[in-house]
Amino acid sequence: MAKPDLMERVVNLCKRRGFVFPSSEIYGGFRSTWDYGPFGVLLKRNVKEAWWRSMVQLRDDIVGLDAAILMHPRVWEASGHVQAFTDPLVDCRDCKERFRADHLPESGACPNCGAKGSFTEARQFNLMFKTHVGPVEDEGAVAYLRPESAQGIFVNFLNVQTTARKKPPFGIAQIGKAFRNEITPGNFIFRTREFEVMEMEYFVSPEDGPRWYEYWCQERLRWFVELGIPEDRLRLRPHDPDELSHYSTGTSDVEFAYPWGWGELEGVANRTDYDLRRHSEYSGQDLSYYDQEADRRYVPHVIEPALGADRCMLAFLLAAYHEEEVRGEKRTLLRLDPRLAPIAVAVLPLSRNERLNPVAHEVADLLRPRFMIDVDDAGSIGRRYRRQDEVGTPLCVTVDFDTLDDRAVTVRDRDSMSQDRVPIDKLVQHLEELLSA
Ligand code: ATP
Protein backbone atom coordinates (compact mmCIF):
# COMPACT_ATOMS: atom_id res chain seq x y z
CA MET A 1 0.00 0.00 0.00
CA ALA A 2 1.33 3.46 -0.89
CA LYS A 3 2.36 5.14 2.33
CA PRO A 4 0.29 8.35 2.24
CA ASP A 5 -2.65 6.09 1.49
CA LEU A 6 -2.08 4.14 4.68
CA MET A 7 -2.44 7.30 6.77
CA GLU A 8 -5.60 8.30 4.93
CA ARG A 9 -7.11 4.85 5.40
CA VAL A 10 -6.32 4.73 9.11
CA VAL A 11 -7.76 8.22 9.63
CA ASN A 12 -10.90 7.22 7.68
CA LEU A 13 -11.30 4.03 9.65
CA CYS A 14 -10.94 5.95 12.90
CA LYS A 15 -13.73 8.33 11.90
CA ARG A 16 -16.01 5.74 10.31
CA ARG A 17 -15.80 3.20 13.13
CA GLY A 18 -15.82 5.58 16.08
CA PHE A 19 -12.19 5.63 17.20
CA VAL A 20 -11.39 9.33 16.78
CA PHE A 21 -13.55 12.32 15.84
CA PRO A 22 -12.48 15.89 15.14
CA SER A 23 -13.19 17.90 18.28
CA SER A 24 -16.25 20.21 18.25
CA GLU A 25 -17.12 18.88 14.83
CA ILE A 26 -20.65 20.31 14.69
CA TYR A 27 -19.05 23.76 15.02
CA GLY A 28 -16.68 23.08 12.16
CA GLY A 29 -13.99 21.46 14.32
CA PHE A 30 -11.30 22.99 16.52
CA ARG A 31 -7.93 22.67 14.86
CA SER A 32 -5.57 20.18 16.44
CA THR A 33 -7.78 18.62 19.10
CA TRP A 34 -9.51 15.27 18.76
CA ASP A 35 -12.16 13.33 20.65
CA TYR A 36 -11.97 9.61 21.26
CA GLY A 37 -15.11 7.62 20.43
CA PRO A 38 -16.29 4.29 21.88
CA PHE A 39 -13.56 2.14 20.28
CA GLY A 40 -10.86 4.82 20.54
CA VAL A 41 -11.32 5.33 24.24
CA LEU A 42 -11.01 1.58 24.81
CA LEU A 43 -7.86 1.34 22.69
CA LYS A 44 -6.26 4.31 24.42
CA ARG A 45 -7.13 2.96 27.87
CA ASN A 46 -5.53 -0.35 26.90
CA VAL A 47 -2.38 1.42 25.67
CA LYS A 48 -2.12 3.27 28.98
CA GLU A 49 -2.88 0.09 30.92
CA ALA A 50 -0.15 -1.83 29.07
CA TRP A 51 2.34 0.94 29.90
CA TRP A 52 1.27 1.13 33.54
CA ARG A 53 1.40 -2.64 33.90
CA SER A 54 4.94 -2.84 32.53
CA MET A 55 6.15 0.15 34.55
CA VAL A 56 4.35 -0.19 37.88
CA GLN A 57 2.63 -3.55 38.29
CA LEU A 58 5.36 -5.84 37.02
CA ARG A 59 8.23 -4.09 38.82
CA ASP A 60 9.05 -3.52 42.44
CA ASP A 61 11.26 -0.47 41.81
CA ILE A 62 8.63 1.91 40.36
CA VAL A 63 5.60 3.48 42.03
CA GLY A 64 2.82 5.62 40.60
CA LEU A 65 1.69 9.21 41.05
CA ASP A 66 -1.14 11.43 39.86
CA ALA A 67 -0.16 15.07 40.37
CA ALA A 68 -2.30 18.12 39.57
CA ILE A 69 -2.16 19.78 36.16
CA LEU A 70 -2.14 23.28 37.66
CA MET A 71 0.97 23.85 39.75
CA HIS A 72 2.73 26.72 41.50
CA PRO A 73 4.06 29.05 38.78
CA ARG A 74 7.55 28.94 40.34
CA VAL A 75 7.73 25.29 39.25
CA TRP A 76 7.94 26.42 35.63
CA GLU A 77 10.58 29.03 36.42
CA ALA A 78 12.69 26.43 38.19
CA SER A 79 12.27 23.87 35.42
CA GLY A 80 13.37 26.40 32.79
CA HIS A 81 10.07 26.27 30.89
CA VAL A 82 9.15 29.95 31.36
CA GLN A 83 12.45 31.00 29.87
CA ALA A 84 13.23 28.27 27.40
CA PHE A 85 10.28 26.06 26.47
CA THR A 86 10.14 27.65 23.07
CA ASP A 87 10.12 26.76 19.40
CA PRO A 88 11.43 29.04 16.65
CA LEU A 89 8.49 30.63 14.80
CA VAL A 90 8.56 32.13 11.29
CA ASP A 91 5.81 33.77 9.23
CA CYS A 92 5.43 33.57 5.48
CA ARG A 93 5.20 37.20 4.32
CA ASP A 94 3.14 36.13 1.30
CA CYS A 95 0.40 33.90 2.71
CA LYS A 96 0.77 34.85 6.41
CA GLU A 97 0.91 31.19 7.54
CA ARG A 98 3.14 30.39 10.52
CA PHE A 99 5.64 27.55 10.75
CA ARG A 100 8.23 26.04 13.05
CA ALA A 101 11.57 27.12 11.60
CA ASP A 102 13.14 23.74 12.43
CA HIS A 103 10.42 21.87 10.51
CA LEU A 104 10.70 23.72 7.18
CA PRO A 105 11.52 21.79 4.00
CA GLU A 106 15.13 22.01 2.78
CA SER A 107 13.99 23.74 -0.44
CA GLY A 108 13.19 26.83 1.65
CA ALA A 109 9.80 27.13 -0.08
CA CYS A 110 6.70 27.93 1.97
CA PRO A 111 4.81 24.62 2.53
CA ASN A 112 1.51 26.49 2.15
CA CYS A 113 1.90 28.79 -0.87
CA GLY A 114 5.24 27.70 -2.37
CA ALA A 115 6.79 31.21 -2.17
CA LYS A 116 10.57 31.26 -1.86
CA GLY A 117 12.55 33.48 0.50
CA SER A 118 9.31 34.73 2.04
CA PHE A 119 10.00 33.86 5.68
CA THR A 120 10.50 36.38 8.45
CA GLU A 121 13.38 36.05 10.92
CA ALA A 122 12.72 33.29 13.45
CA ARG A 123 11.55 34.42 16.88
CA GLN A 124 11.16 32.27 19.97
CA PHE A 125 7.60 31.34 20.84
CA ASN A 126 6.76 29.89 24.28
CA LEU A 127 4.58 26.79 24.00
CA MET A 128 3.02 26.96 27.46
CA PHE A 129 -0.67 27.81 27.76
CA LYS A 130 -1.10 30.62 30.24
CA THR A 131 -4.20 31.04 32.35
CA HIS A 132 -5.30 32.79 35.55
CA VAL A 133 -6.19 31.22 38.85
CA GLY A 134 -9.01 32.84 40.82
CA PRO A 135 -11.26 35.77 39.94
CA VAL A 136 -8.62 38.47 39.35
CA GLU A 137 -6.75 38.27 36.08
CA ASP A 138 -3.55 40.03 37.13
CA GLU A 139 0.08 38.95 36.85
CA GLY A 140 0.05 37.53 40.38
CA ALA A 141 -2.65 35.06 39.37
CA VAL A 142 -0.84 33.57 36.36
CA ALA A 143 -0.72 29.79 36.13
CA TYR A 144 0.22 27.43 33.31
CA LEU A 145 -1.33 24.27 31.95
CA ARG A 146 1.49 21.78 32.36
CA PRO A 147 3.36 21.02 29.12
CA GLU A 148 4.69 17.74 30.60
CA SER A 149 3.89 15.72 33.70
CA ALA A 150 7.49 15.25 34.84
CA GLN A 151 7.62 18.37 37.02
CA GLY A 152 4.76 17.00 39.15
CA ILE A 153 7.03 14.04 39.84
CA PHE A 154 10.11 16.11 40.70
CA VAL A 155 8.29 18.34 43.16
CA ASN A 156 6.93 15.20 44.87
CA PHE A 157 10.29 13.45 44.95
CA LEU A 158 10.64 13.69 48.74
CA ASN A 159 6.98 12.89 49.44
CA VAL A 160 7.14 9.72 47.39
CA GLN A 161 10.64 8.65 48.34
CA THR A 162 9.93 8.85 52.05
CA THR A 163 6.38 7.45 52.07
CA ALA A 164 7.08 4.60 49.63
CA ARG A 165 10.44 4.05 51.40
CA LYS A 166 12.36 3.72 48.15
CA LYS A 167 16.09 3.99 47.62
CA PRO A 168 17.74 4.82 44.29
CA PRO A 169 17.54 3.20 41.84
CA PHE A 170 13.79 3.69 41.86
CA GLY A 171 11.21 5.35 39.65
CA ILE A 172 7.96 7.31 39.74
CA ALA A 173 5.49 6.85 36.90
CA GLN A 174 2.65 9.11 35.87
CA ILE A 175 0.04 9.29 33.12
CA GLY A 176 -1.88 12.47 32.48
CA LYS A 177 -2.86 15.31 30.21
CA ALA A 178 -0.33 17.82 28.95
CA PHE A 179 -0.84 20.95 26.86
CA ARG A 180 1.47 22.62 24.34
CA ASN A 181 0.56 25.53 22.15
CA GLU A 182 2.20 23.84 19.14
CA ILE A 183 2.90 26.17 16.20
CA THR A 184 2.13 23.49 13.65
CA PRO A 185 -0.01 20.70 15.05
CA GLY A 186 -0.84 18.02 12.54
CA ASN A 187 -0.65 14.51 11.20
CA PHE A 188 -3.87 13.55 12.96
CA ILE A 189 -3.19 12.63 16.62
CA PHE A 190 0.62 12.71 16.14
CA ARG A 191 1.00 16.33 17.22
CA THR A 192 -1.87 18.02 19.03
CA ARG A 193 -2.19 20.87 21.48
CA GLU A 194 -3.78 18.70 24.16
CA PHE A 195 -2.44 15.18 24.64
CA GLU A 196 -1.66 12.56 27.25
CA VAL A 197 1.84 11.70 28.36
CA MET A 198 3.12 8.60 30.06
CA GLU A 199 6.30 9.58 31.86
CA MET A 200 8.58 7.80 34.26
CA GLU A 201 11.40 9.48 36.17
CA TYR A 202 14.01 6.98 37.33
CA PHE A 203 16.26 8.25 40.14
CA VAL A 204 19.78 6.84 40.32
CA SER A 205 23.16 7.64 41.83
CA PRO A 206 25.28 9.97 39.65
CA GLU A 207 27.70 7.27 38.51
CA ASP A 208 24.86 4.88 37.59
CA GLY A 209 23.22 7.37 35.18
CA PRO A 210 24.82 6.18 31.90
CA ARG A 211 24.12 2.51 32.62
CA TRP A 212 20.45 3.10 33.41
CA TYR A 213 20.09 5.37 30.39
CA GLU A 214 21.23 2.50 28.15
CA TYR A 215 18.95 0.12 30.01
CA TRP A 216 15.84 2.28 29.51
CA CYS A 217 16.57 2.87 25.81
CA GLN A 218 16.59 -0.88 25.22
CA GLU A 219 13.69 -1.57 27.56
CA ARG A 220 11.43 0.92 25.84
CA LEU A 221 12.25 -0.47 22.38
CA ARG A 222 11.46 -3.95 23.67
CA TRP A 223 8.06 -2.83 24.99
CA PHE A 224 6.86 -1.72 21.55
CA VAL A 225 8.08 -4.92 19.91
CA GLU A 226 6.45 -7.04 22.56
CA LEU A 227 3.13 -5.35 21.84
CA GLY A 228 3.34 -6.04 18.14
CA ILE A 229 5.23 -3.26 16.37
CA PRO A 230 7.62 -4.94 13.88
CA GLU A 231 11.27 -4.35 14.76
CA ASP A 232 12.04 -2.98 11.30
CA ARG A 233 9.57 -0.11 11.85
CA LEU A 234 11.39 1.05 14.98
CA ARG A 235 14.83 2.51 15.56
CA LEU A 236 16.76 4.29 18.26
CA ARG A 237 18.20 7.65 17.23
CA PRO A 238 20.68 9.28 19.61
CA HIS A 239 20.44 13.09 19.55
CA ASP A 240 23.34 14.99 18.01
CA PRO A 241 25.27 17.07 20.55
CA ASP A 242 23.71 20.32 19.19
CA GLU A 243 20.21 18.87 19.62
CA LEU A 244 20.67 17.93 23.29
CA SER A 245 19.00 19.98 26.01
CA HIS A 246 21.72 21.88 27.86
CA TYR A 247 21.29 19.71 30.97
CA SER A 248 21.16 16.33 29.23
CA THR A 249 24.19 14.10 28.79
CA GLY A 250 22.30 11.77 26.50
CA THR A 251 18.92 11.64 24.78
CA SER A 252 17.62 9.14 22.26
CA ASP A 253 14.37 9.08 20.40
CA VAL A 254 12.61 5.81 19.81
CA GLU A 255 11.54 6.49 16.24
CA PHE A 256 8.74 4.86 14.27
CA ALA A 257 8.45 4.60 10.49
CA TYR A 258 5.34 6.77 10.02
CA PRO A 259 3.85 6.98 6.51
CA TRP A 260 5.62 10.37 6.13
CA GLY A 261 9.00 9.03 7.30
CA TRP A 262 10.89 8.31 10.51
CA GLY A 263 9.71 10.40 13.44
CA GLU A 264 9.77 10.53 17.23
CA LEU A 265 7.58 8.10 19.09
CA GLU A 266 9.17 8.34 22.53
CA GLY A 267 12.07 10.24 24.07
CA VAL A 268 14.51 8.70 26.54
CA ALA A 269 16.71 11.28 28.29
CA ASN A 270 19.45 11.34 30.87
CA ARG A 271 18.41 14.56 32.64
CA THR A 272 21.29 14.37 35.13
CA ASP A 273 20.63 16.12 38.46
CA TYR A 274 19.28 19.24 36.72
CA ASP A 275 15.65 19.00 37.82
CA LEU A 276 16.13 18.15 41.49
CA ARG A 277 18.96 20.66 41.78
CA ARG A 278 16.91 23.47 40.27
CA HIS A 279 13.87 22.69 42.46
CA SER A 280 16.14 22.63 45.51
CA GLU A 281 17.46 26.08 44.58
CA TYR A 282 14.08 27.61 43.81
CA SER A 283 12.09 26.06 46.67
CA GLY A 284 14.80 26.19 49.32
CA GLN A 285 14.06 22.50 50.13
CA ASP A 286 16.92 20.04 50.19
CA LEU A 287 16.06 17.38 47.58
CA SER A 288 19.25 15.38 47.99
CA TYR A 289 19.35 11.78 49.09
CA TYR A 290 21.41 10.38 51.95
CA ASP A 291 22.80 6.95 51.12
CA GLN A 292 23.25 5.31 54.51
CA GLU A 293 25.28 2.34 53.32
CA ALA A 294 27.86 4.47 51.52
CA ASP A 295 27.53 7.29 54.08
CA ARG A 296 27.25 9.97 51.43
CA ARG A 297 24.71 12.51 50.26
CA TYR A 298 23.98 13.19 46.59
CA VAL A 299 21.37 14.73 44.31
CA PRO A 300 19.96 11.80 42.31
CA HIS A 301 20.33 11.78 38.55
CA VAL A 302 17.22 11.12 36.49
CA ILE A 303 16.58 8.92 33.47
CA GLU A 304 13.28 9.72 31.79
CA PRO A 305 11.35 7.72 29.21
CA ALA A 306 8.48 9.99 28.00
CA LEU A 307 5.83 8.77 25.59
CA GLY A 308 2.61 10.30 24.29
CA ALA A 309 -0.39 7.96 24.68
CA ASP A 310 -2.07 9.41 21.59
CA ARG A 311 1.05 9.21 19.43
CA CYS A 312 1.65 5.70 20.67
CA MET A 313 -1.92 4.71 19.82
CA LEU A 314 -1.38 6.07 16.29
CA ALA A 315 1.76 3.94 15.89
CA PHE A 316 -0.09 0.83 17.05
CA LEU A 317 -2.92 1.56 14.60
CA LEU A 318 -0.56 2.16 11.68
CA ALA A 319 1.39 -1.02 12.43
CA ALA A 320 -1.79 -3.08 12.85
CA TYR A 321 -3.62 -1.94 9.71
CA HIS A 322 -3.79 -4.61 7.02
CA GLU A 323 -5.76 -5.20 3.88
CA GLU A 324 -5.94 -8.59 2.21
CA GLU A 325 -8.03 -10.41 -0.30
CA VAL A 326 -10.20 -13.28 0.90
CA ARG A 327 -12.21 -15.23 -1.70
CA GLY A 328 -12.15 -12.31 -4.07
CA GLU A 329 -13.19 -9.74 -1.47
CA LYS A 330 -11.17 -7.13 0.36
CA ARG A 331 -10.75 -7.76 4.08
CA THR A 332 -9.53 -4.90 6.29
CA LEU A 333 -8.21 -5.84 9.68
CA LEU A 334 -6.35 -4.39 12.62
CA ARG A 335 -3.88 -6.99 13.82
CA LEU A 336 -3.77 -5.45 17.28
CA ASP A 337 -2.29 -7.36 20.18
CA PRO A 338 -5.23 -8.77 22.22
CA ARG A 339 -4.08 -6.66 25.19
CA LEU A 340 -4.67 -3.52 23.12
CA ALA A 341 -7.73 -4.47 21.07
CA PRO A 342 -10.77 -2.37 22.10
CA ILE A 343 -13.06 -5.42 22.12
CA ALA A 344 -11.61 -8.74 23.25
CA VAL A 345 -14.55 -10.95 22.26
CA ALA A 346 -17.60 -10.36 20.05
CA VAL A 347 -20.70 -12.44 20.64
CA LEU A 348 -22.61 -13.02 17.41
CA PRO A 349 -25.90 -14.92 17.22
CA LEU A 350 -25.97 -16.54 13.75
CA SER A 351 -29.15 -14.67 12.95
CA ARG A 352 -31.70 -12.52 14.72
CA ASN A 353 -33.96 -15.26 16.00
CA GLU A 354 -36.03 -15.67 19.12
CA ARG A 355 -34.70 -19.20 19.72
CA LEU A 356 -31.08 -18.04 19.53
CA ASN A 357 -31.54 -14.86 21.55
CA PRO A 358 -31.74 -16.39 25.06
CA VAL A 359 -28.61 -18.50 24.63
CA ALA A 360 -26.73 -15.59 23.00
CA HIS A 361 -27.63 -13.48 26.05
CA GLU A 362 -26.54 -16.28 28.36
CA VAL A 363 -23.13 -16.43 26.63
CA ALA A 364 -22.79 -12.64 26.70
CA ASP A 365 -23.61 -12.53 30.42
CA LEU A 366 -21.07 -15.26 31.08
CA LEU A 367 -18.29 -13.37 29.27
CA ARG A 368 -19.09 -9.74 30.16
CA PRO A 369 -17.54 -9.67 33.66
CA ARG A 370 -14.27 -11.13 32.33
CA PHE A 371 -13.74 -9.54 28.92
CA MET A 372 -14.66 -6.36 27.10
CA ILE A 373 -17.32 -7.74 24.76
CA ASP A 374 -19.53 -6.51 21.97
CA VAL A 375 -22.81 -8.15 20.98
CA ASP A 376 -23.85 -7.73 17.36
CA ASP A 377 -26.83 -9.40 15.72
CA ALA A 378 -27.41 -7.07 12.75
CA GLY A 379 -26.67 -8.27 9.20
CA SER A 380 -25.09 -11.35 7.68
CA ILE A 381 -22.57 -13.24 9.79
CA GLY A 382 -19.85 -12.71 7.18
CA ARG A 383 -20.33 -8.95 7.31
CA ARG A 384 -20.30 -8.97 11.09
CA TYR A 385 -16.98 -10.87 11.11
CA ARG A 386 -15.58 -8.18 8.80
CA ARG A 387 -16.84 -5.42 11.06
CA GLN A 388 -15.06 -7.01 14.01
CA ASP A 389 -11.86 -7.59 11.96
CA GLU A 390 -11.83 -3.91 11.08
CA VAL A 391 -11.77 -2.82 14.73
CA GLY A 392 -9.25 -5.49 15.70
CA THR A 393 -11.44 -7.87 17.76
CA PRO A 394 -9.25 -10.96 18.17
CA LEU A 395 -12.04 -13.48 18.80
CA CYS A 396 -15.67 -13.90 17.76
CA VAL A 397 -18.04 -16.34 19.44
CA THR A 398 -20.92 -17.46 17.24
CA VAL A 399 -24.09 -18.94 18.65
CA ASP A 400 -25.94 -21.04 16.06
CA PHE A 401 -28.85 -23.49 15.93
CA ASP A 402 -26.58 -26.44 16.84
CA THR A 403 -25.80 -24.59 20.07
CA LEU A 404 -29.38 -25.25 21.18
CA ASP A 405 -28.66 -29.00 21.05
CA ASP A 406 -24.96 -29.38 21.82
CA ARG A 407 -24.39 -26.39 24.17
CA ALA A 408 -21.27 -25.48 22.14
CA VAL A 409 -20.32 -22.34 20.21
CA THR A 410 -17.93 -21.51 17.37
CA VAL A 411 -14.84 -19.51 18.25
CA ARG A 412 -13.34 -17.71 15.27
CA ASP A 413 -9.84 -16.25 15.19
CA ARG A 414 -9.33 -12.82 13.60
CA ASP A 415 -5.94 -13.41 11.98
CA SER A 416 -6.20 -16.98 10.72
CA MET A 417 -10.02 -16.95 10.39
CA SER A 418 -9.90 -20.54 11.70
CA GLN A 419 -12.89 -21.77 13.68
CA ASP A 420 -13.19 -24.16 16.64
CA ARG A 421 -16.20 -25.66 18.33
CA VAL A 422 -16.04 -25.12 22.11
CA PRO A 423 -18.52 -26.21 24.83
CA ILE A 424 -20.06 -23.23 26.65
CA ASP A 425 -18.95 -24.57 30.02
CA LYS A 426 -15.30 -24.49 28.85
CA LEU A 427 -15.61 -21.20 26.97
CA VAL A 428 -14.19 -18.75 29.52
CA GLN A 429 -11.06 -20.80 30.10
CA HIS A 430 -10.61 -21.40 26.36
CA LEU A 431 -10.88 -17.68 25.54
CA GLU A 432 -8.54 -16.74 28.39
CA GLU A 433 -5.93 -19.13 27.03
CA LEU A 434 -6.25 -17.81 23.48
CA LEU A 435 -6.11 -14.16 24.55
CA SER A 436 -3.02 -14.62 26.70
CA ALA A 437 -1.17 -16.86 24.21
P1 ATP B 1 9.03 17.75 19.30
O1 ATP B 1 10.47 18.12 19.23
O2 ATP B 1 8.58 16.81 18.20
O3 ATP B 1 8.12 18.92 19.47
P2 ATP B 1 9.62 16.92 21.95
O4 ATP B 1 10.96 16.30 21.71
O5 ATP B 1 9.52 18.28 22.51
O6 ATP B 1 8.79 16.84 20.60
P3 ATP B 1 9.07 15.50 24.30
O7 ATP B 1 9.08 16.70 25.15
O8 ATP B 1 10.24 14.58 24.30
O9 ATP B 1 8.75 15.92 22.79
O10 ATP B 1 7.72 14.70 24.59
C1 ATP B 1 7.71 13.37 24.98
C2 ATP B 1 6.71 12.59 24.15
O11 ATP B 1 5.42 13.17 24.26
C3 ATP B 1 7.01 12.59 22.66
O12 ATP B 1 7.92 11.57 22.33
C4 ATP B 1 5.64 12.30 22.08
O13 ATP B 1 5.33 10.91 22.13
C5 ATP B 1 4.72 13.04 23.03
N1 ATP B 1 4.38 14.37 22.54
C6 ATP B 1 5.11 15.50 22.65
N2 ATP B 1 4.46 16.55 22.10
C7 ATP B 1 3.29 16.06 21.63
C8 ATP B 1 2.18 16.64 20.95
N3 ATP B 1 2.13 17.94 20.67
N4 ATP B 1 1.14 15.83 20.60
C9 ATP B 1 1.15 14.52 20.89
N5 ATP B 1 2.17 13.92 21.54
C10 ATP B 1 3.23 14.67 21.90
Side-chain angles (χ1 to χ4, degrees):
M1 195 184 311
K3 284 180 177 167
D5 237 29
L6 168 64
M7 189 64 185
E8 204 179 302
R9 284 175 202 206
V10 167
V11 173
N12 282 343
L13 183 133
C14 282
K15 173 82 203 299
R16 187 161 42 81
R17 295 306 311 275
F19 281 81
V20 183
F21 308 121
S23 141
S24 320
E25 196 180 8
I26 60 168
Y27 288 97
F30 190 58
R31 208 173 145 224
S32 97
T33 46
W34 300 87
D35 298 340
Y36 291 80
F39 287 125
V41 72
L42 291 171
L43 174 56
K44 194 166 155 196
R45 282 174 71 107
N46 290 344
V47 166
K48 290 186 283 183
E49 175 53 30
W51 185 89
W52 190 264
R53 187 178 149 79
S54 76
M55 284 292 181
V56 179
Q57 187 180 334
L58 298 180
R59 304 183 63 110
D60 58 13
D61 57 347
I62 301 180
V63 291
L65 181 74
D66 186 6
I69 289 174
L70 295 174
M71 302 174 76
H72 196 294
R74 288 278 285 168
V75 168
W76 305 108
E77 290 169 28
S79 66
H81 282 81
V82 171
Q83 204 219 334
F85 192 59
T86 55
D87 278 336
L89 168 76
V90 293
D91 297 84
C92 170
R93 289 194 192 87
D94 282 14
C95 70
K96 312 290 178 225
E97 272 292 313
R98 297 193 150 156
F99 303 95
R100 241 175 93 165
D102 57 335
H103 282 181
L104 290 175
E106 271 171 28
S107 67
C110 169
N112 188 47
C113 69
K116 286 213 162 175
S118 62
F119 295 122
T120 56
E121 279 294 302
R123 58 190 191 281
Q124 291 303 323
F125 171 74
N126 196 298
L127 301 186
M128 280 201 296
F129 280 99
K130 228 182 200 180
T131 185
H132 292 92
V133 171
V136 184
E137 291 196 5
D138 62 15
E139 269 309 299
V142 163
Y144 300 95
L145 298 187
R146 68 180 179 199
E148 60 174 37
S149 81
Q151 300 305 323
I153 296 179
F154 298 131
V155 301
N156 277 293
F157 169 72
L158 271 188
N159 283 336
V160 176
Q161 191 261 317
T162 51
T163 54
R165 295 184 298 133
K166 292 287 178 200
K167 299 175 182 169
F170 82 98
I172 306 177
Q174 172 162 236
I175 300 177
K177 288 263 180 171
F179 305 82
R180 295 182 187 181
N181 200 0
E182 297 279 1
I183 297 167
T184 43
N187 284 329
F188 192 38
I189 53 174
F190 175 83
R191 188 183 300 285
T192 53
R193 296 201 171 108
E194 173 179 344
F195 57 100
E196 267 183 287
V197 275
M198 309 191 281
E199 287 178 309
M200 197 278 292
E201 310 303 318
Y202 201 72
F203 300 94
V204 301
S205 66
E207 57 282 5
D208 274 355
R211 184 163 66 84
W212 281 107
Y213 167 66
E214 284 305 319
Y215 168 88
W216 280 110
C217 286
Q218 296 307 322
E219 186 58 19
R220 294 307 306 147
L221 259 185
R222 194 193 60 73
W223 184 80
F224 292 108
V225 174
E226 212 235 324
L227 282 167
I229 298 194
E231 258 171 278
D232 63 359
R233 291 179 76 174
L234 292 166
R235 72 179 189 192
L236 205 59
R237 188 185 66 83
H239 281 203
D240 295 333
D242 61 343
E243 241 182 308
L244 282 179
S245 317
H246 61 280
Y247 51 80
S248 177
T249 56
T251 298
S252 289
D253 289 345
V254 176
E255 292 194 332
F256 177 74
Y258 296 96
W260 59 90
W262 288 101
E264 177 171 341
L265 176 55
E266 168 159 10
V268 183
N270 183 345
R271 300 178 69 123
T272 67
D273 61 358
Y274 173 80
D275 304 277
L276 290 182
R277 197 171 280 292
R278 292 276 290 197
H279 285 301
S280 289
E281 278 168 29
Y282 278 68
S283 68
Q285 304 277 325
D286 180 3
L287 300 180
S288 63
Y289 171 77
Y290 175 63
D291 178 348
Q292 251 171 344
E293 274 159 47
D295 187 24
R296 66 165 183 157
R297 184 168 280 287
Y298 61 82
V299 177
H301 281 218
V302 173
I303 313 301
E304 174 197 75
L307 169 64
D310 316 75
R311 194 177 286 190
C312 178
M313 171 171 147
L314 175 62
F316 283 124
L317 281 168
L318 289 165
Y321 187 91
H322 283 84
E323 286 178 7
E324 57 186 36
E325 213 179 280
V326 179
R327 289 184 288 279
E329 271 187 41
K330 188 176 97 173
R331 174 167 99 117
T332 302
L333 71 162
L334 293 181
R335 286 192 209 270
L336 288 169
D337 184 284
R339 288 166 288 184
L340 301 180
I343 302 293
V345 183
V347 177
L348 313 175
L350 188 65
S351 59
R352 226 180 236 173
N353 178 289
E354 56 191 42
R355 286 175 62 218
L356 290 184
N357 261 344
V359 66
H361 274 116
E362 179 197 330
V363 171
D365 290 345
L366 174 73
L367 303 184
R368 196 173 272 119
R370 292 168 175 93
F371 312 102
M372 187 68 217
I373 68 161
D374 184 26
V375 181
D376 184 7
D377 66 358
S380 79
I381 188 72
R383 284 201 42 198
R384 279 181 281 151
Y385 281 148
R386 295 289 181 274
R387 283 175 60 77
Q388 294 298 335
D389 290 341
E390 207 180 38
V391 297
T393 307
L395 299 170
C396 290
V397 169
T398 307
V399 175
D400 57 24
F401 289 98
D402 289 339
T403 310
L404 302 176
D405 300 323
D406 66 2
R407 300 277 304 157
V409 289
T410 300
V411 175
R412 182 245 191 206
D413 177 82
R414 175 194 68 202
D415 297 343
S416 66
M417 293 187 288
S418 64
Q419 305 194 355
D420 281 328
R421 200 76 187 158
V422 181
I424 292 176
D425 61 7
K426 300 225 167 64
L427 185 59
V428 168
Q429 191 193 347
H430 184 78
L431 296 175
E432 268 167 0
E433 279 165 16
L434 289 178
L435 291 170
S436 60

